[in-house]
Amino acid sequence: MNLKDRDQRFSRSAWKRPKRFDRNLIVIGAGSAGLVSAYIAAAAKARVTLVEAKKMGGDCLNFGCVPSKALIKSAKVAHQIRHADNYGLKAVEPGVPFSAVIERIHEVIARIEPHDSVERYTGLGVEVLEGYAKLIDPWTVEIALNDGGTQRLTTRAVVIATGAQSVIPSIAGLVEIDFMTSDDMWERLRGRPTVPQRLVVLGGGPIGCELAQSFARLGSDVTQIETAPRLMTREDEDAAQFVEASIRADGVNVLTSHKAVACGAHWGEKWIEVEHEGDRRRICFDEIIVAVGRAPRLEGFGLEELGIKVDRVVETNEYLQTLYPNIFAAGDVAGPYQLTHVAGHQAWFATINALFGDFKRFKVDYSVIPWATFTDPEVARVGLSEAEAKEKNVRYEITRFNLDDLDRAIADGSARGFVKVLTVPGKDRILGVTIVGEHAGDLLAEFVFAMKQGHGLGKVLGTIHIYPTLAEANKMVAGQWRRNHMSGFLLFLLERFQTWRRG
């Protein structure tokens, strides 16, 4: 969005600007973006108020990243016990006291919680108010406090960081069957002695795949339903195929190209009806998790009343400004990525521009954005995928190294997956990287750094990597690129030179 000075003057004309302000910055929402914004503002000695209606730490700490990764770890250990013979040990069926698994998840949340707590941020110099914030005008925020009071504050700038919530699809009968989402499942599963026997996971994206595989490994009979022809449609097909094969091997009944059309219950038996190639059938289940995506929280904050355009996200310009140049958005509400680390990244730009934009502004940088899906194997990517390169008509060449040839992966029993690098034809400049395998999210960091700093595969190849580690895969793929680009004529001359040297 390009905000012209004329439009900005017009947008402010209906409101009377205060002569003095109570705050330099008010941040609405204490998820990743909000916490980073408040932290930076306090560090810059601004007077900042952070408003959160529910839980500090937002979705990532309480409902998403943290609890799901704790679940994934428990499920992976159960999988390793079940397949201990792969490591020369006796394979046994693991005991799964499900209530203990869920309690461990809550213990993990509790251990991380102090990092995002009211006490910590108050100690940093942030005023934290627990309640619902609403914009009254471009400089005034009204907070309906959770304790029943109301407070109005004026501020030079606002950062909207209200996060996202689970999307609930329009499926006949869904609201009547007591479904779960990633927002409420951790509390609702608490205290249950056994894992759900028959579980339906609706959705084939990252969240759906992580949950489907984890519950299957813990002993659930899982059916995963996805409307698209394959899982993980944002990833290259070869990467998605690896994940789908692994999920199926763990016992998940994967139904792609299946559309959920109705839900219901009969004599206490819950069911979902799916349609595939014109045929319909019903699948009975005990629990269902809806994981079809997340949508920004946009309602109730006064955005529409101020004329701030919201469609799927809050519309912003390259400086993360909304229609009003002193109101910014960061995180899931701003898009285009729903990633915790991108939310924090955006928060830096939004906060610095909010506090110092009258002197210098910074355009948000999306040039090198990494992400990962924490299935087993993991899928991690940065830059262009092969599919995106084709779609955008970007010329590229591919260098690929298969992890079944990596010493450490063989020793660990994780010799599956690959590292795939897209480069400019004939050059080592990296356009994008996809890694499928054990700790792919960690391995990707070297390529993220290389791309951010403008380094090519030659620099990766010239870096010493510890032997034996999984990180050697990065050096191996760089070495493969180098071998692919050795000059045939140069090799001929080298051979002649060595022959001459032997006399």
Side-chain angles (χ1 to χ4, degrees), residues 242-304:
F242 251 94
V243 172
E244 184 170 330
S246 180
I247 289 174
R248 288 183 184 275
D250 286 326
V252 178
N253 179 25
V254 179
L255 302 179
T256 52
S257 299
H258 280 68
K259 181 181 179 181
V261 293
C263 294
H266 183 69
W267 295 104
E269 181 90 319
K270 292 185 283 189
W271 53 264
I272 185 168
E273 189 171 295
V274 296
E275 181 178 312
H276 175 65
E277 296 180 349
D279 295 327
R280 292 193 177 193
R281 67 181 174 111
R282 288 185 177 181
I283 301 165
C284 294
F285 61 85
D286 300 308
E287 299 289 352
I288 183 170
I289 300 173
V290 176
V292 297
R294 299 183 66 77
R297 294 187 182 94
L298 301 171
E299 296 181 358
F301 306 105
L303 304 179
E304 293 185 352

Side-chain angles (χ1 to χ4, degrees), residues 186-434:
W186 311 109
E187 281 297 335
R188 292 183 55 183
L189 292 173
R190 202 168 190 175
R192 296 197 183 187
T194 58
V195 69
Q197 183 178 351
R198 298 172 301 173
L199 176 69
V200 166
V201 175
L202 197 60
I207 298 173
C209 288
E210 289 178 1
L211 293 178
Q213 184 178 46
S214 294
F215 276 97
R217 288 180 162 189
L218 290 172
S220 289
D221 181 6
V222 180
T223 298
Q224 185 177 12
I225 301 169
E226 169 56 44
T227 304
R230 64 177 176 86
L231 303 179
M232 298 179 63
T233 55
R234 293 183 64 187
E235 304 297 342
D236 280 338
E237 189 168 355
D238 53 357
Q241 284 176 345
F242 251 94
V243 172
E244 184 170 330
S246 180
I247 289 174
R248 288 183 184 275
D250 286 326
V252 178
N253 179 25
V254 179
L255 302 179
T256 52
S257 299
H258 280 68
K259 181 181 179 181
V261 293
C263 294
H266 183 69
W267 295 104
E269 181 90 319
K270 292 185 283 189
W271 53 264
I272 185 168
E273 189 171 295
V274 296
E275 181 178 312
H276 175 65
E277 296 180 349
D279 295 327
R280 292 193 177 193
R281 67 181 174 111
R282 288 185 177 181
I283 301 165
C284 294
F285 61 85
D286 300 308
E287 299 289 352
I288 183 170
I289 300 173
V290 176
V292 297
R294 299 183 66 77
R297 294 187 182 94
L298 301 171
E299 296 181 358
F301 306 105
L303 304 179
E304 293 185 352
E305 290 88 337
L306 292 184
I308 295 174
K309 188 174 180 181
V310 295
D311 184 8
R312 295 176 61 251
V313 294
V314 177
E315 187 172 346
T316 62
N317 65 5
E318 60 268 36
Y319 304 104
L320 295 175
Q321 294 169 296
T322 66
L323 174 67
Y324 300 89
N326 69 309
I327 300 177
F328 298 77
D332 289 353
V333 292
Y337 303 94
Q338 290 186 344
L339 300 166
T340 297
H341 47 281
V342 175
H345 177 70
Q346 288 178 323
W348 185 93
F349 289 91
T351 308
I352 295 300
N353 290 335
L355 297 176
F356 307 108
D358 290 341
F359 308 101
K360 183 174 176 58
R361 295 186 300 172
F362 296 86
K363 294 181 180 180
V364 64
D365 179 14
Y366 296 124
S367 60
V368 184
I369 299 293
W371 66 74
T373 299
F374 295 93
T375 48
D376 185 11
E378 294 179 8
V379 179
R381 176 156 73 89
V382 63
L384 288 175
S385 68
E386 187 176 357
E388 287 173 341
K390 290 177 180 177
E391 181 181 336
K392 296 177 180 179
N393 293 316
V394 175
R395 294 180 64 244
Y396 66 92
E397 63 179 61
I398 288 178
T399 306
R400 180 175 173 130
F401 175 76
N402 291 326
L403 295 179
D404 60 4
D405 204 30
L406 184 68
D407 293 2
R408 180 57 185 270
I410 295 170
D412 284 353
S414 60
R416 56 176 178 161
F418 57 85
V419 181
K420 180 171 66 173
V421 182
L422 276 65
T423 51
V424 174
K427 300 182 181 298
D428 73 340
R429 184 165 71 85
I430 303 167
L431 296 173
V433 180
T434 297

Side-chain angles (χ1 to χ4, degrees), residues 121-244:
Y121 275 78
T122 299
L124 291 170
V126 177
E127 178 190 40
V128 180
L129 297 179
E130 297 178 89
Y132 290 84
K134 182 176 181 179
L135 289 160
I136 303 302
D137 63 42
W139 303 277
T140 306
V141 177
E142 182 177 271
I143 302 104
L145 299 168
N146 290 348
D147 63 9
T150 301
Q151 187 172 351
R152 279 198 178 194
L153 296 171
T154 58
T155 180
R156 288 191 66 91
V158 177
V159 172
I160 302 164
T162 51
Q165 57 194 353
S166 294
V167 171
I168 308 304
S170 298
I171 300 173
L174 179 62
V175 295
E176 279 83 44
I177 61 166
D178 198 27
F179 63 87
M180 294 188 292
T181 71
S182 59
D183 291 344
D184 63 10
M185 59 179 286
W186 311 109
E187 281 297 335
R188 292 183 55 183
L189 292 173
R190 202 168 190 175
R192 296 197 183 187
T194 58
V195 69
Q197 183 178 351
R198 298 172 301 173
L199 176 69
V200 166
V201 175
L202 197 60
I207 298 173
C209 288
E210 289 178 1
L211 293 178
Q213 184 178 46
S214 294
F215 276 97
R217 288 180 162 189
L218 290 172
S220 289
D221 181 6
V222 180
T223 298
Q224 185 177 12
I225 301 169
E226 169 56 44
T227 304
R230 64 177 176 86
L231 303 179
M232 298 179 63
T233 55
R234 293 183 64 187
E235 304 297 342
D236 280 338
E237 189 168 355
D238 53 357
Q241 284 176 345
F242 251 94
V243 172
E244 184 170 330

Side-chain angles (χ1 to χ4, degrees), residues 51-78:
V51 186
E52 173 55 53
K54 296 181 180 178
K55 293 185 175 183
M56 294 285 287
D59 300 335
C60 185
L61 171 62
N62 298 291
F63 316 122
C65 312
V66 171
S68 64
K69 301 312 162 284
L71 177 75
I72 287 168
K73 181 62 177 182
S74 294
K76 187 169 185 176
V77 172

Side-chain angles (χ1 to χ4, degrees), residues 486-502:
M486 290 290 290
S487 165
F489 180 67
L490 177 61
L491 291 174
F492 169 76
L493 290 179
L494 285 172
E495 184 178 11
R496 293 294 299 270
F497 173 73
Q498 297 298 348
T499 299
W500 173 76
R501 291 274 290 176
R502 293 195 302 270

